[in-house]
Amino acid sequence: MIEALTDWFLREGRALPFRAGHSADGDRPYYVLVSETMAQQTRMEALVPYYGRFIARFPDIRTLADAGEAEVLALWAGLGYYSRARNLHKAARAVCERHGGAVPDSLEALRALPGVGAYTAGAVASIAFGLPCPAVDGNVRRVYARLFMSDGGDVSAWARGLMDQAPPRLVTESLMELGALICTPSPPKCGRCPVSEHCRAFSEDRVADFPARRPKPPKREENRTVCIVRDGEDRVLLRRRTERLLHNMWEFPVEEQLLADGFAVRRDPAPLGTASHVFTHIIWRMTAYGARVTTDKQPENYLWAKGLRGLALPSAMRAWARLLFAGE
Ligand code: SF4
């Protein structure tokens, strides 16, 4: 099976900029660390332009370590799951402090870096260093569940066994690619699958039964009254978030928060518009109003901004950014 899988990958795998043969010469372990961190919760195609901009600005791990968090977040803006960016930044600093600026080549040292879990450590260890360390994500679990008609089983041990038969880098990338392109959640493209003759679910016509679906918990909905506050100098009021969600990112403030921070708020009666943003566990239902504010002293974490360029503004704010600064 492994030969059919890796042959297929070498023939049909996507020419992604961080893959061997497609990335510039340089710090390959760093490229893998960045791309695999970005790839968590994000489709490969979606992350490619972000990756390009990120590597252009931070071509090596030391440059990333030396940068300020605000700039790292600004380059991540739009990718979501910003704790990944914060952790990647901390990991870069830890690599410089503990390992002299070289991404470590052991699973244990990789796992000890901030934000680096079993999956990312396995991906860097196998892809960048050729170590027999599996990287098991949802894609690989799905492939395994269908191949063996099993929702249990030791997926890591199976992937490690494949690494006895082919280079670890090829095994990791081939499995990820199969899950991303062919053995997709639904419907999988079994007619084009290089390993269909080894697949139990396919041979028994039970592909739809694996992996078993677990009901997702409902998302909590939050209604937010967004205030678009401008002053006489054509500046707009932004707030730097202190909450865990979107921590340190800039937002157009909500009325409730403005009041809590000591502003008096007068908002227009008619809304400017509505928008929703879906996070993993929460949905923001936002209604925006033009507003004016007064305050005795400007509280911390607020900024009167002329424009939004260079500021870490999350995707959730895009609708209002477009409304205000079309073309920026
Ligand atoms: Fe997945 Fe279908 Fe291939 Fe089986 S045959 S591994 S279900 S794509």
Side-chain angles (χ1 to χ4, degrees):
M1 185 200 93
I2 189 64
E3 209 176 318
L5 176 64
T6 53
D7 282 355
W8 166 82
F9 173 71
L10 291 171
R11 216 174 42 247
E12 297 188 28
R14 290 165 293 179
L16 297 168
F18 33 84
R19 285 197 168 146
H22 304 291
S23 54
D25 287 343
D27 191 348
R28 185 152 162 69
Y30 169 64
Y31 299 154
V32 178
L33 179 63
V34 172
S35 60
E36 289 302 334
T37 304
M38 286 186 169
Q40 295 157 28
Q41 317 279 352
T42 305
R43 283 183 312 106
M44 283 290 180
E45 284 84 1
L47 73 80
V48 166
Y50 289 90
Y51 174 83
R53 285 192 290 271
F54 199 89
I55 292 296
R57 170 61 188 89
F58 309 120
D60 52 62
I61 203 155
R62 218 167 260 289
T63 314
L64 175 59
D66 289 343
E69 187 186 89
E71 193 184 2
V72 175
L73 288 175
L75 274 168
W76 204 274
L79 259 183
Y81 300 96
Y82 296 95
S83 57
R84 294 178 302 172
R86 278 186 281 272
N87 280 329
L88 178 61
H89 189 214
K90 285 184 202 153
R93 290 185 167 172
V95 165
C96 291
E97 283 161 17
R98 297 178 207 161
H99 304 286
V103 175
D105 61 357
S106 84
L107 198 65
E108 294 70 29
L110 285 164
R111 284 295 306 269
L113 296 174
V116 175
Y119 167 79
T120 307
V124 175
S126 59
I127 296 173
F129 296 114
L131 298 173
C133 304
V136 175
D137 66 353
N139 280 338
V140 177
R141 266 193 215 97
R142 184 171 58 252
V143 170
Y144 176 92
R146 288 171 174 165
L147 282 174
F148 300 102
M149 280 180 40
S150 164
D151 281 309
D154 190 340
V155 186
S156 288
W158 168 68
R160 197 174 296 109
L162 296 178
M163 290 175 174
D164 292 337
Q165 305 163 49
R169 173 187 77 78
L170 266 185
V171 172
T172 294
E173 291 192 320
S174 303
L175 286 174
M176 286 176 179
E177 197 76 335
L178 187 74
L181 296 185
I182 303 289
C183 197
T184 47
S186 74
K189 292 131 191 109
C190 301
R192 290 169 40 206
C193 178
V195 296
S196 58
E197 63 188 69
H198 304 275
C199 179
R200 277 192 64 192
F202 180 63
S203 69
E204 297 188 23
D205 198 18
R206 292 197 51 203
V207 170
D209 296 339
F210 292 91
R213 288 182 217 292
R214 289 185 193 88
K216 285 188 184 163
K219 292 181 195 281
R220 178 164 57 82
E221 296 207 8
E222 247 179 46
N223 291 317
R224 295 170 67 82
T225 302
V226 176
C227 290
I228 309 292
V229 185
R230 308 198 82 157
D231 67 2
E233 296 170 45
D234 220 20
R235 299 178 305 176
V236 65
L237 187 64
L238 299 176
R239 171 179 177 262
R240 193 201 300 269
R241 288 179 59 80
T242 53
E243 297 83 347
R244 191 150 177 263
L245 177 68
L246 304 177
H247 187 71
N248 273 349
M249 309 284 291
W250 291 98
E251 67 175 358
F252 299 102
V254 292
E255 184 177 38
E256 195 182 38
Q257 188 70 50
L258 285 167
L259 294 171
D261 288 338
F263 288 93
V265 181
R266 223 158 24 96
R267 65 174 159 91
D268 299 340
L272 293 169
T274 59
S276 295
H277 191 83
V278 181
F279 297 93
T280 315
H281 307 296
I282 307 174
I283 302 176
W284 279 359
R285 304 278 184 213
M286 296 175 283
T287 305
Y289 294 84
R292 279 154 300 285
V293 296
T294 48
T295 181
D296 294 338
K297 60 176 172 53
Q298 173 136 332
E300 269 180 50
N301 295 317
Y302 283 85
L303 168 76
W304 285 103
K306 263 282 185 203
L308 303 176
R309 204 180 290 279
L311 293 174
L313 205 76
S315 307
M317 294 294 121
R318 270 193 193 152
W320 317 125
R322 271 197 297 271
L323 194 75
L324 272 166
F325 296 104
E328 283 215 13

